[in-house]
Amino acid sequence: MTLELQRSAVACGKVILLGEHSVVYGQPALAAGLARGLTLHATPLPDRGAAIELSVPSWALDLRLTPDTDHPVARACLEVLTHCDGPVTGWRIDGEARIPCRAGLGSSAALTVALARLALGPQASAEPDLEEVVAASLVGERVFHGTPSGLDSAVAARGGVVAFERGASGSGEPIELGAPVSLVVIPSGIPRQTGALVAGVRMRRDRLPTVIDPVIGALGQLVTRGRAALTAGQLHVLAELTTVAHELLSALGVSLPELDLLCAAAVRHGALAAKLTGAGGGGCVIALCDTRAAAQAVVTGLRAEFPALTSAPFFVEIESGQP
Ligand code: PMV
C-alpha cells in the first residue's frame, strides 16, 4: 500500500467520430482524443489523515472525498483510488480542464483516467500500464454511468484516434490517419444523461427489434467504412458517413431539433458534414471541415449566429497517436 501520488497527470477528452450507441450492442466505434482535456496536480496536505480535497474550478467542482459521501464524483474518485491501492486521505488535487463537463466530451473518463495515473504512477517503473489505467478508470465510470462501454476511458487514456469494440482489448486500437482531420466541436449547452439515453434506445429496440437492429447494424457498417476512409485520408467519404450517422442516430431517437439546427448551421458556414456526438439528447455536435481555415470560418460563423451558447464552439485538429 503506497501513500504517494504522482505530482501531475493528464488525460484526454474525447469526441465519438462514429459508432455511439451501436457500440453498446457490440458494434465497433471510432473516437478521437481531445488533447490535455484535463491536467491534475497533487500536493500533500500537512495532515495525512485529512480527507482528499479535489478542485476543478472550470467544472465548479470543489469536493472533499470523505468515506460517507454520496456525491457521485467523490464516490467515483474514492473507488478509483482504492482500486489502485492509492492513498484515500492526505492530498489536495487541483484540476485544469480544457473541456466542459457533462457535455459528452468525456469529462468523467478524463477525471478517472488522470486520477488513476496519479495513483498508479508511483507504483510503476515507467509509465503506468495503459490497460491498468483503463481498468481503474472504468471502476469510477461505473459509478457515473452504470455499464459504460469503456470507449471513453480508452480514448481518455490513449488519445489520438481509437477504434474500440466492447469485449475486445479494453484500451482499443490506435488508428493511423491518412491525413489530419479538422473538426469543430459545438456544445449545445443542453444537459443530458448518458444512462437515460442508452436506456431509451434499448426500449425502442425492445419494442421494434426488427426495425432497430438493422439501424444498429448499419451504424456498425458505417464505422468499418469510416475507419478505411480515415486511414486512406478520404475526407469526403468520411463526410458522407458523418451525415448518414446523424440520420441513423435520429432514427434511434437521440437527436433533438436543436442538434439538427446546429448541424445544419455548421454546414451552412462551410463544414463538409456534421453529426451529434456521444449520447445525444443535448451535449455536442461535431462538424467535419476540409481545411483549418474552413474550420475557423465555421467557428466564427457559429459564434456570431449563436452568441448565447454557454460554451463557445471550438476547433480541434485530430491527428494519429498520443497528442
Ligand atoms: O457519455 P457520452 O455522451 O460520451 O456517450 C457515451 C456513448 C454511448 O455509446 C452512448 C454509451 C457508451 O457507453 O458507449
Side-chain angles (χ1 to χ4, degrees):
M1 182 84 94
T2 172
L3 289 176
E4 279 303 306
L5 284 180
Q6 187 102 326
R7 295 310 160 100
S8 71
V10 294
C12 291
K14 71 98 197 15
V15 287
I16 298 180
L17 299 174
L18 296 169
E20 50 275 268
H21 286 290
S22 45
V23 69
V24 172
Y25 299 91
Q27 301 289 344
L30 284 167
L34 302 177
R36 295 180 300 286
L38 179 69
T39 306
L40 292 181
H41 301 282
T43 34
L45 290 171
D47 176 1
R48 305 314 307 278
I52 290 178
E53 297 167 7
L54 172 67
S55 167
V56 186
S58 62
W59 293 350
L61 206 60
D62 196 7
L63 291 174
R64 292 164 63 78
L65 311 190
T66 51
D68 56 352
T69 181
D70 54 9
H71 195 293
V73 176
R75 277 201 299 123
C77 290
L78 281 173
E79 297 262 349
V80 172
L81 291 168
T82 306
H83 175 91
C84 298
D85 287 336
V88 290
T89 60
W91 289 83
R92 177 169 178 86
I93 300 172
D94 289 289
E96 289 166 59
R98 299 174 92 201
I99 49 168
C101 63
R102 291 193 294 273
L105 297 180
S107 56
S108 65
L111 178 61
T112 52
V113 161
L115 193 62
R117 286 200 165 120
L118 286 184
L120 293 170
Q123 304 169 35
S125 47
E127 273 289 288
D129 178 66
L130 201 65
E131 301 288 335
E132 265 188 64
V133 169
V134 171
S137 159
L138 270 173
V139 171
E141 283 286 275
R142 286 192 197 105
V143 175
F144 294 119
H145 302 306
T147 51
S149 64
L151 172 64
D152 283 22
S153 299
V155 187
R158 208 183 257 291
V161 177
V162 175
F164 181 88
E165 213 168 314
R166 200 171 192 156
S169 157
S171 68
E173 190 189 339
I175 301 289
E176 283 296 317
L177 299 188
V181 175
S182 295
L183 282 185
V184 177
V185 181
I186 309 151
S188 70
I190 301 169
R192 93 270 110 86
Q193 281 205 321
T194 299
L197 286 145
V198 170
V201 172
R202 189 169 296 283
M203 285 190 277
R204 181 169 279 193
R205 179 175 179 254
D206 288 346
R207 286 192 301 274
L208 303 166
T210 53
V211 176
I212 297 302
D213 279 342
V215 177
I216 290 171
L219 281 163
Q221 291 298 323
L222 196 141
V223 172
T224 305
R225 187 66 189 88
R227 178 176 172 160
L230 267 176
T231 48
Q234 296 168 331
L235 207 56
H236 287 267
V237 176
L238 193 65
E240 186 164 10
L241 293 166
T242 298
T243 303
V244 177
H246 184 78
E247 286 160 357
L248 292 176
L249 288 164
S250 297
L252 294 184
V254 298
S255 192
L256 289 179
E258 292 89 336
L259 300 182
D260 298 345
L261 182 78
L262 287 174
C263 287
V267 171
R268 199 166 5 89
H269 288 293
L272 296 174
K275 68 180 270 289
L276 70 84
T277 183
C284 292
V285 158
I286 52 171
L288 185 65
C289 300
D290 53 359
T291 60
R292 273 166 172 246
Q296 297 292 6
V298 171
V299 168
T300 308
L302 290 174
R303 285 185 179 189
E305 188 173 345
F306 301 101
L309 287 176
T310 26
S311 295
F314 60 95
F315 162 70
V316 281
E317 189 156 73
I318 307 294
E319 291 175 274
S320 317
Q322 182 83 41

